[in-house]
Amino acid sequence: MKSLLLLSSLVSYTYSAVVPRAEEQVDYSGFKVVRLELPEANSDIEAQIEELAAHVLNPGKTSHLDVVVAPESVDAVTALVTESSIINEDVGAALAEEGELLIQEVPAESWFTAYHSYADHLTFLRDLQGGFTSQSEIFTTGSSVQGRALTGIHIWGSGGKGSKPAVVIHGTVHAREWISTMTTEYFAWQLLTKYAGNATVKALVDKFDYYIIPVVNPDGFVYSQTTDRLWRKNRQTVSSSSCVGRDINRNWPYKWEVPGGASTNPCSETYKGQTAGDSPENLGLRTQINQLRDSGGVTLYLDIHSYGQYILWPYGYDCNLVVHNDAQHRSLATRAAAAIRAVSGTRYTIGPACATLYATTGDSTDYTDGVGNATYSYTYELRDTGNYGFTLPASQIQPTVRETWEGLVSMVKDA
Ligand SMILES: *[C@@H]1O[C@H](CO)[C@@H](O)[C@H](O)[C@H]1NC(C)=O
Ligand SMILES: *[C@@H]1O[C@H](CO)[C@@H](O)[C@H](O)[C@H]1NC(C)=O
Ligand SMILES: [Zn+2]
């Protein structure tokens, strides 16, 4: 975070050069990330904090909130609590460290050294599939509010297409979590490019059919590149409010109605929607899960997010309920966390979602468990633990995708 001025002018230059933009891009120069310790009964204070903050980075957390705040609002927001600390002095400078969006042609390993535009992510998938036409296929499942198809790659092994139970992997449901796009793509890239030369990988591909969608919230993802880097939700409107976006991961129609794990306020980062499952993206995703449940069954479901370094499993909606195969979930997660740590020392916290992190209702893993009949359902929260947060520097993409891949390998071996 030296040369702040230089870095922030650099980032606006590189982003505008690469990504066409419909609206002026939000300039986060001088914005701070402030950690606010919350008192026990805090719903009023939380609402006031949401009003003042540009973004809440960890909505739902009850012990403390990390918020992005304009310099002129820092005093007002810290005055709401008795204890606070500044964890990032300049969000604009952190964005500059994230590196520029790179335009690129073929899926070489160097793909994983930079972040990319949505159009290039689609090209990546098509190019990858094009190299392995006898054991992969591009599929879509529904489309976004703005009409973008939810696009994934289906990978199979020696048993042939659709012959094995499913491993389903979703990425980038929260638009700003760009490292999850890169990580899910790395999974697909490894499974296909290592199949012929690595017996371990071949065995994993022969064991399951893989369905990987790197960006399940394309509208939000595009918006995070053109307009607001810290955008989380989709881009759906409601007539009653000028605020935009549903949190697709609070919109799944299972325990959606349970209070406390999502917001009914359209302006909140965790707005659950007007009715269960009323986002088109969720319709596409649950259609996929239901179809796979009714065909070969789902053995493993992974929803890849950032940040915090957690591996979580059901339930999100109730902190006291224990899933029937909790011990097996814990066993797979323990071994996956150890595999990740063995690569690079990165430490993950594991546990049931609500009890370990915070309450979430209408979330993906409760649905894949409760309705999708998946044997295992996990949420990964990738690097880091808050230093860079959502804007992980490009230099950390390769270390992150490589370590997380070993977590996947471990889980799929054990499943
Ligand atoms: C095969 O892939 C696995 C999983 O990534 C890895 O641990 C192993 O080292 C690879 N084997 C070889 C010979 O490269
Ligand atoms: C749920 O999955 C198990 C196998 O894991 C299977 O035996 C059962 O028939 C499935 N139930 C439904 C309703 O799909
Ligand atoms: Zn997320």
Side-chain angles (χ1 to χ4, degrees):
M1 298 204 192
K2 326 111 222 169
S3 326
L4 295 185
L5 275 176
L6 174 65
L7 285 170
S8 28
S9 57
L10 243 180
V11 75
S12 43
Y13 167 72
T14 50
Y15 274 60
S16 60
V18 180
V19 183
R21 51 186 185 176
E23 299 170 52
E24 196 59 34
Q25 191 156 19
V26 177
D27 179 4
Y28 283 108
S29 304
F31 279 55
K32 298 184 191 307
V33 179
V34 185
R35 174 162 296 178
L36 305 162
E37 303 298 332
L38 295 173
E40 288 276 310
N42 60 43
S43 54
D44 274 9
I45 294 182
E46 250 184 86
Q48 292 174 53
I49 292 171
E50 284 221 27
E51 285 274 297
L52 286 167
H55 284 286
V56 179
L57 299 179
N58 58 347
K61 190 93 179 158
T62 52
S63 56
H64 64 268
L65 288 183
D66 294 342
V67 295
V68 176
V69 193
E72 62 273 17
S73 303
V74 170
D75 289 347
V77 86
T78 53
L80 293 170
V81 298
T82 51
E83 218 184 306
S84 64
S85 54
I86 303 229
I87 59 180
N88 188 326
E89 286 285 353
D90 189 338
V91 175
L95 289 177
E97 282 189 65
E98 197 179 21
E100 62 185 279
L101 297 182
L102 194 70
I103 292 174
Q104 200 183 320
E105 40 319 300
V106 279
E109 185 143 17
S110 59
W111 174 258
F112 303 98
T113 59
Y115 294 103
H116 306 277
S117 72
Y118 183 63
D120 282 358
H121 283 297
L122 291 178
T123 304
F124 168 89
L125 274 193
R126 298 220 151 82
D127 288 351
L128 179 62
Q129 193 279 330
F132 302 90
T133 50
S134 64
Q135 61 174 136
S136 68
E137 179 173 279
I138 298 292
F139 69 92
T140 64
T141 182
S143 60
S144 68
V145 172
Q146 294 169 356
R148 296 184 173 92
L150 273 52
T151 306
I153 187 165
H154 173 192
I155 296 167
W156 59 85
S158 57
K161 178 182 163 186
S163 62
K164 301 289 191 228
V167 171
V168 182
I169 303 174
H170 290 165
T172 331
V173 66
H174 292 141
R176 59 199 181 187
E177 298 165 9
W178 291 4
I179 189 63
S180 79
T181 324
M182 303 306 298
T183 301
T184 47
E185 285 176 348
Y186 190 72
F187 292 170
W189 186 82
Q190 283 283 82
L191 291 169
L192 285 170
T193 62
K194 299 289 153 62
Y195 182 84
N198 182 308
T200 304
V201 176
K202 181 176 189 308
L204 300 183
V205 177
D206 290 344
K207 189 176 176 185
F208 293 110
D209 277 61
Y210 294 79
Y211 302 82
I212 301 175
I213 311 180
V215 182
V216 304
N217 176 12
D219 298 352
F221 183 72
V222 168
Y223 192 75
S224 77
Q225 297 195 323
T226 58
T227 310
D228 184 348
R229 175 65 190 87
L230 295 178
W231 188 255
R232 167 182 169 100
K233 299 184 284 181
N234 75 356
R235 295 295 300 162
Q236 195 168 3
T237 53
V238 278
S239 55
S240 57
S241 170
S242 60
C243 288
V244 176
R246 282 157 173 69
D247 184 342
I248 302 165
N249 198 34
R250 299 293 184 278
N251 190 239
W252 291 77
Y254 181 69
K255 304 297 176 187
W256 177 89
E257 65 291 345
V258 173
S263 177
T264 53
N265 174 0
C267 300
S268 165
E269 304 267 14
T270 59
Y271 177 50
K272 55 158 63 176
Q274 293 184 296
T275 57
D278 69 351
S279 65
E281 294 87 356
N282 182 260
L283 175 61
L285 298 176
R286 69 179 187 263
T287 301
Q288 179 202 30
I289 297 294
N290 296 352
Q291 279 171 355
L292 292 171
R293 173 198 62 199
D294 297 340
S295 47
V298 179
T299 298
L300 176 64
Y301 172 77
L302 302 182
D303 197 3
I304 309 295
H305 293 246
S306 71
Y307 56 93
Q309 295 169 202
Y310 290 96
I311 299 174
L312 306 167
W313 60 89
Y315 293 100
Y317 76 95
D318 188 321
C319 295
N320 300 310
L321 268 187
V322 175
V323 71
H324 73 94
N325 58 349
D326 180 77
Q328 291 94 321
H329 269 97
R330 182 174 297 278
S331 159
L332 261 67
T334 302
R335 292 159 61 93
I340 292 169
R341 202 163 138 196
V343 176
S344 49
T346 304
R347 284 168 188 272
Y348 270 71
T349 304
I350 68 163
C354 183
T356 306
L357 189 56
Y358 44 63
T360 54
T361 50
D363 67 79
S364 59
T365 48
D366 284 357
Y367 184 94
T368 55
D369 181 85
V371 182
N373 195 32
T375 313
Y376 298 103
S377 299
Y378 294 99
T379 298
Y380 273 66
E381 297 284 355
L382 303 174
R383 288 193 195 190
D384 56 12
T385 54
N387 190 17
Y388 290 101
F390 300 117
T391 57
L392 201 64
S395 61
Q396 287 199 41
I397 298 171
Q398 267 183 322
T400 304
V401 302
R402 285 176 180 161
E403 71 191 10
T404 315
W405 159 253
E406 294 301 337
L408 174 74
V409 168
S410 167
M411 281 195 164
V412 174
K413 266 189 198 163
D414 288 353

